[in-house]
Amino acid sequence: MATIIVTFGVPADGFRALHENGHTVHIPSSGTRFSEEKMLRLLPSADAVLACTAFPRKFVEAGKNLKLIVCYGAGYDSIDVAAATEHK
């Protein structure tokens, strides 16, 4: 099963089906974001990220198993695309 990180506390009800199907979803409390330290601890085991906040190179590099980085909202300028491309 997949481990998914949501970087900002958006309404968690939409992720219930993932939990019910055996996936692990890490999501901070509503209206908050994970600290940089917490993100760096969670990322090595993550398969996917829903990036609701900036997702810099150090996060991409920490996410050794990431298969998917999804930007929440319009555009993708908050994601270090060059780093993501380098790390495939």
Side-chain angles (χ1 to χ4, degrees):
M1 294 290 124
T3 298
I4 303 153
I5 299 172
V6 181
T7 65
F8 188 81
V10 297
D13 290 343
F15 301 98
R16 183 172 291 129
L18 291 170
H19 283 291
E20 291 170 354
N21 286 289
H23 301 286
T24 301
V25 180
H26 297 283
I27 185 169
S29 301
S30 181
T32 66
R33 67 180 66 195
F34 286 127
S35 68
E36 181 176 311
E37 295 79 20
K38 177 81 172 187
M39 285 293 296
L40 292 172
R41 280 195 311 271
L42 290 171
L43 281 165
S45 63
D47 298 294
V49 169
L50 175 57
C52 305
T53 56
F55 204 76
R57 176 174 288 276
K58 66 180 140 191
F59 288 173
V60 173
E61 291 173 347
K64 303 282 185 208
N65 295 316
L66 285 177
K67 296 162 192 68
L68 182 66
I69 301 171
V70 177
C71 188
Y72 184 85
Y76 53 88
D77 56 327
S78 64
I79 296 172
D80 190 327
V81 176
T85 301
E86 289 171 22
H87 289 83
K88 300 186 192 272

